[in-house]
Amino acid sequence: MALNPDYLGKVYPAQRVYEVGREKIREFALAVGDSNAAYLDVDAARALGHRDVIAPPTFPIIVTRDASAAVMFDPGLGLDYSRVVHGEQ
């Protein structure tokens, strides 16, 4: 099934504010198996010149999750997500 062409240019409402905290960064780093101390330990991050722990480069996927879901699971769009393939992967 093709995507609904009427959705071209559709704008979705803004999603809730996502407040990033130290523990969320730590949980994400552990979940993806990245034990870089700068993601887990304030002192290690400060030793590298940061004010606090830093997030792994893939962390922003968490921030975009709700917005992506609004599009992917919009029944009017006609997207069968089970058929989506990431071409570069």
Side-chain angles (χ1 to χ4, degrees):
M1 171 185 248
L3 298 179
N4 183 348
D6 295 336
Y7 272 53
L8 185 64
K10 179 176 173 134
V11 176
Y12 288 84
Q15 298 296 312
R16 64 183 171 80
V17 172
Y18 184 90
E19 188 170 339
V20 177
R22 190 181 291 156
E23 188 59 24
K24 290 290 184 183
I25 291 171
R26 181 181 168 285
E27 289 172 356
F28 183 85
L30 293 174
V32 298
D34 195 331
S35 60
N36 184 324
Y39 308 150
L40 307 173
D41 181 66
V42 176
D43 293 331
R46 287 183 180 154
L48 294 171
H50 303 287
R51 290 183 294 156
D52 207 323
V53 295
I54 58 173
T58 54
F59 185 81
I61 194 68
I62 296 298
V63 178
T64 65
R65 180 184 50 202
D66 290 345
S68 295
V71 175
M72 290 186 305
F73 301 114
D74 182 337
L77 177 60
L79 175 65
D80 179 358
Y81 196 69
S82 70
R83 299 179 59 103
V84 173
V85 177
H86 293 268
E88 290 89 26
Q89 295 179 335

